[in-house]
Amino acid sequence: MEEPICQPLIEPSFYDLVVVGTGLPESILAAGASAIGKSVLHLDPNGFYGSHFSSLSLHPFIQFLETQQNIPSQLPEHPTVIATSSPSDDYSSFSIKSRRLYSEIEICTFAPEALEPSRSFSLDLSGPRVLLCADPMVDLMLKSGASHHIEFKSIDGNFIYIDGRLSPVPDSREAIFKDRNLGLTEKSQLMRFFKLVHEHFSSSEGDGQEGRRISEDDLESPFYKFLRKQRLPAKIKSIILYAIAMADYDQESPEDCKKLLRTKDGIEGLALYHASVGRFPNALGAFIYPIYGQGELPQAFCRCAAVKGCLYVLRMPVTEMLVSKERSHYKGVRLASDLKYEEFDGSNSGEASKKKVTKVARGVCITSVSVMADFPNLLIVFPPRSLHAKQLTSVRAIQLSNMLICPPGLCVLYFATLCDSGILGKKSLRAAMKALFGPIVCENSESSLPESHETKPTLLWSAMYIQELAEGVELDDVNSCFMPDGTLHYRELLKSTTKLFKKMFLQEELFPETAADATDDEPVERPE
C-alpha cells in the first residue's frame, strides 16, 4: 500500500499575497511584491517550476500533455468558483476546478533509439518564444536582478519563407547590401524605408537631427496601406509585416484579419527590432534565447523572490477559495493539506468578465540535423498564404541546437500559429514541417522512420497540440494571470502583469530602481 504524502506545515498562515502557479507572470508578481516588502506565499500544484511556461525533459513533457486528457474541457458558467461547501462562521468556501488547456494531442515517435538519454532534453511547453535584445522584458530582468540567475545565447539567423524557399531577413544596412536574394532596386527601396522610420523617431526624440516625420493620419492608418503608399514591392512588404513587425494575420485581407496592424505599431516594432541588433556585443542578431529553455525565466524571478523572503511550496494544490459571508471580498485559500491561508484584501469583488476564447496550434519536433547547415539556432516565419491558400495567419518556427536543450548533434524546433479550429491550425503546422522536413506520415505514436528527402533533416519525434488562449476571469480582488499566447515575444505578458501589479499595489512600482541598479550595466547575455 502506497504511503500518503506528508504535507508540510506552513507558517505563518496570513500573507499579504498568495500566488498560485509559478508561471512567468505569477513569478514576476511574486518577486515584485517581495521586493517591496510584502509577505508572499507562492504555491504550485506541480512538482516543478514554471507551470505552462516550463521546460521539461522528454518523458515528463509527454506525461504532462497526456494528463490534460483527464481534465474536463468545459466548465460551468462560472469557470473558477463552481460549488459551495464547508461554510464557517466567518467565511464561505468554494471548490476550485481546473480547465483543460491543451487538446487534440498527437505524439509521434519515428526513431526511439535516437532520443536517448531522454533526460538530456528540455522542451518548452509554450514555444516558440524568444526575446528581442531591446525588449522591455530584458530591461526588467536587468532591473530586478533576474539576469544574475539566467544566461542567454544568440539566435544566429532570421529567415522568411517566400516563393517556396527560405530567405534571410535583412536587419541592418550591412545585411541589406550582402543579401543575394534582393535585387538592387529592392535593396534601395528597403534602405529608403528604414531611413524614413529612423528620421521619424529621430525628429520625435528631438535630438537635433532634421528629418521627415510620418503624418498623424498615416500613423493611424493600416500599416499595409502605408507600405503600399511607399510603393514597396510585395516581397519587401512581406518581410516588414511578418518577419520584422511580426503581424499575426493576413494584413492585406481585412475581411480575414482579426488584428489589423496600425502604422504606429508597425514602425515601433521596426524600431525595437533595429535597436535590438547590436545591443549586446556577443549577440549576433536581434534575438536571444535562454540556455536550458524558457522555463529558466520564471525560475530566475522565483529566485529573486525567495531571496526577499517569499515562501515556496510545490506539489501543493489549492482546493478551495474562501470568501466572506456577504461575498464582499476574498478571504484566502484552503490547500490540499486542509490548512487555511489568508490574504488581506479589503476591496469589494466585482462581476466576472468573460474573455473570448481563441486557439493556437503548437508543434515540437526533434530532428537529426539543422534545417540550414551554418545556423544551429534560427527563426523562421511563414507569412499568411505562403504554405496554402487557407493559411490566414503566420506560422512561426524556432530551431535550437546548442542551447543545452537536447543531446549534441540534434535539433529541437518549435512551431506555432493562431487558428479558429484545431484542424486548420494543424494543417498549417504540417505544411510548415513538410516544407522543412519533407513528407511526414504519422498514423500513431509509434510510426516508422520517414524517408529522407534531398538534404532535408530527418524527423525523429514530433508533438502537436491545440492550446486555448482564454484569459480566465477578472475580479476586483481575485486576479487571473496572463496565459501563454501565440506571439514570439513577452511584451503583452509584461504589459498585463505590470497592470495587475499596479491594481494590487496602487502606490508601488514594479521593481523600484535603486542606486545599485542604475550602475549595473551587466549584459543579459554572458560569454560562453
Side-chain angles (χ1 to χ4, degrees):
M1 181 176 179
E2 185 177 351
E3 295 184 3
I5 298 175
C6 182
Q7 298 287 3
L9 177 63
I10 304 173
E11 293 181 346
S13 62
F14 185 92
Y15 294 86
D16 295 319
L17 179 66
V18 176
V19 183
V20 181
T22 53
L24 182 55
E26 295 94 333
S27 300
I28 292 174
L29 289 172
S34 299
I36 58 174
K38 303 296 182 181
S39 58
V40 180
L41 175 62
H42 202 170
L43 310 168
D44 199 310
N46 298 303
F48 54 85
Y49 289 91
S51 191
H52 297 290
F53 292 86
S54 65
S55 302
L56 303 173
S57 57
L58 185 59
H59 291 321
F61 180 91
I62 295 172
Q63 291 168 0
F64 185 85
L65 290 180
E66 289 176 341
T67 59
Q68 293 286 306
Q69 305 288 1
N70 301 322
I71 301 175
S73 59
Q74 299 292 331
L75 285 181
E77 183 178 356
H78 301 287
T80 305
V81 181
I82 64 171
T84 305
S85 65
S86 307
S88 75
D89 294 337
D90 300 322
Y91 59 86
S92 297
S93 61
F94 295 83
S95 62
I96 296 176
K97 188 175 182 181
S98 299
R99 178 177 56 83
R100 182 192 301 172
L101 188 65
Y102 307 112
S103 61
E104 302 180 49
I105 300 165
E106 296 180 22
I107 298 175
C108 298
T109 302
F110 301 107
E113 69 283 354
L115 303 176
E116 297 297 336
S118 62
R119 291 185 178 181
S120 297
F121 291 94
S122 182
L123 305 179
D124 297 342
L125 278 171
S126 58
R129 200 172 291 272
V130 291
L131 286 157
L132 282 159
C133 292
D135 195 281
M137 181 63 78
V138 174
D139 296 332
L140 185 73
M141 285 191 289
L142 291 168
K143 184 180 179 182
S144 64
S147 61
H148 297 293
H149 305 289
I150 188 169
E151 296 187 23
F152 294 83
K153 274 192 175 182
S154 173
I155 300 296
D156 308 307
N158 186 10
F159 294 83
I160 186 169
Y161 188 77
I162 298 179
D163 299 329
R165 64 177 183 177
L166 297 178
S167 299
V169 176
D171 51 19
S172 64
R173 181 189 297 269
E174 181 182 4
I176 292 174
F177 283 117
K178 287 183 177 181
D179 196 323
R180 297 181 179 180
N181 296 290
L182 296 177
L184 291 176
T185 301
E186 292 172 322
K187 291 180 180 181
S188 177
Q189 290 170 318
L190 189 56
M191 284 295 300
R192 283 201 302 268
F193 181 74
F194 284 174
K195 183 179 179 182
L196 170 62
V197 174
H198 177 74
E199 289 179 350
H200 170 80
F201 284 105
S202 295
S203 60
S204 300
E205 294 169 359
D207 59 3
Q209 298 183 16
E210 294 184 4
R212 294 172 293 170
R213 274 190 55 81
I214 300 173
S215 70
E216 290 298 324
D217 288 341
D218 282 338
L219 289 174
E220 294 300 323
S221 69
F223 195 28
Y224 82 91
K225 288 187 176 181
F226 180 71
L227 297 179
R228 184 184 297 170
K229 185 177 179 180
Q230 305 303 310
R231 299 182 178 179
L232 296 174
K235 183 176 182 178
I236 299 299
K237 287 191 293 183
S238 189
I239 290 173
I240 294 172
L241 282 171
Y242 304 110
I244 297 180
M246 295 293 175
D248 294 317
Y249 293 91
D250 188 348
Q251 297 295 296
E252 300 194 70
S253 297
E255 66 278 6
D256 297 321
C257 183
K258 293 185 178 182
K259 186 177 181 181
L260 199 60
L261 197 64
R262 295 182 306 163
T263 300
K264 181 178 184 294
D265 299 323
I267 64 172
E268 285 178 354
L270 186 65
L272 178 63
Y273 188 99
H274 283 167
S276 297
V277 177
R279 180 183 183 185
F280 302 117
N282 44 4
L284 300 177
F287 300 102
I288 53 176
Y289 179 86
I291 296 175
Y292 299 111
Q294 70 157 317
E296 293 296 299
L297 290 172
Q299 289 195 65
F301 284 100
C302 287
R303 292 184 183 106
C304 291
V307 169
K308 297 293 185 178
C310 177
L311 179 60
Y312 280 87
V313 186
L314 301 182
R315 299 182 180 87
M316 182 60 74
V318 172
T319 59
E320 294 180 339
M321 183 172 67
L322 312 178
V323 298
S324 64
K325 280 290 189 179
E326 301 79 15
R327 300 189 183 182
S328 59
H329 64 273
Y330 163 66
K331 297 283 289 184
V333 295
R334 187 185 297 278
L335 307 182
S337 60
D338 201 35
L339 298 174
K340 178 170 65 72
Y341 293 92
E342 298 184 352
E343 173 187 4
F344 174 76
D345 198 320
S347 58
N348 294 324
S349 61
E351 294 295 324
S353 59
K354 294 183 181 179
K355 300 295 183 181
K356 185 178 179 180
V357 176
T358 54
K359 297 178 180 180
V360 57
R362 300 194 189 276
V364 185
C365 294
I366 300 173
T367 64
S368 57
V369 294
S370 173
V371 171
M372 302 192 74
D374 297 329
F375 296 90
N377 310 304
L378 56 88
L379 169 66
I380 303 172
V381 176
F382 299 85
R385 305 189 198 278
S386 65
L387 295 165
H388 58 85
K390 293 185 179 181
Q391 180 200 352
L392 304 179
T393 58
S394 297
V395 177
R396 302 187 183 103
I398 294 177
Q399 175 190 278
L400 303 165
S401 180
N402 58 0
M403 297 284 187
L404 300 181
I405 63 165
C406 61
L410 301 186
C411 298
V412 174
L413 288 96
Y414 299 101
F415 297 81
T417 186
L418 294 172
C419 58
D420 292 326
S421 71
I423 294 176
L424 186 58
K426 286 187 176 182
K427 180 180 179 180
S428 294
L429 293 191
R430 287 192 179 97
M433 293 175 187
K434 182 179 178 180
L436 299 179
F437 313 138
I440 300 170
V441 178
C442 179
E443 299 295 338
N444 51 56
S445 61
E446 292 293 335
S447 301
S448 60
L449 184 68
E451 295 181 4
S452 179
H453 289 260
E454 302 172 359
T455 58
K456 293 183 177 181
T458 299
L459 184 59
L460 306 176
W461 180 90
S462 69
M464 279 195 288
Y465 46 98
I466 305 300
Q467 179 203 328
E468 289 190 359
L469 297 181
E471 296 180 20
V473 297
E474 292 182 3
L475 300 172
D476 285 347
D477 49 4
V478 179
N479 302 287
S480 176
C481 287
F482 192 92
M483 294 299 292
D485 60 7
T487 65
L488 273 175
H489 54 74
Y490 296 92
R491 291 195 294 281
E492 293 302 320
L493 181 151
L494 182 55
K495 186 186 302 182
S496 171
T497 305
T498 302
K499 180 180 177 181
L500 185 52
F501 184 86
K502 286 291 186 182
K503 176 184 174 183
M504 293 189 294
F505 308 109
L506 296 177
Q507 306 300 322
E508 300 290 350
E509 180 185 356
L510 182 60
F511 299 112
E513 187 170 346
T514 65
D517 296 328
T519 59
D520 186 3
D521 57 355
E522 179 187 0
V524 69
E525 181 177 359
R526 300 176 190 139
E528 297 181 29

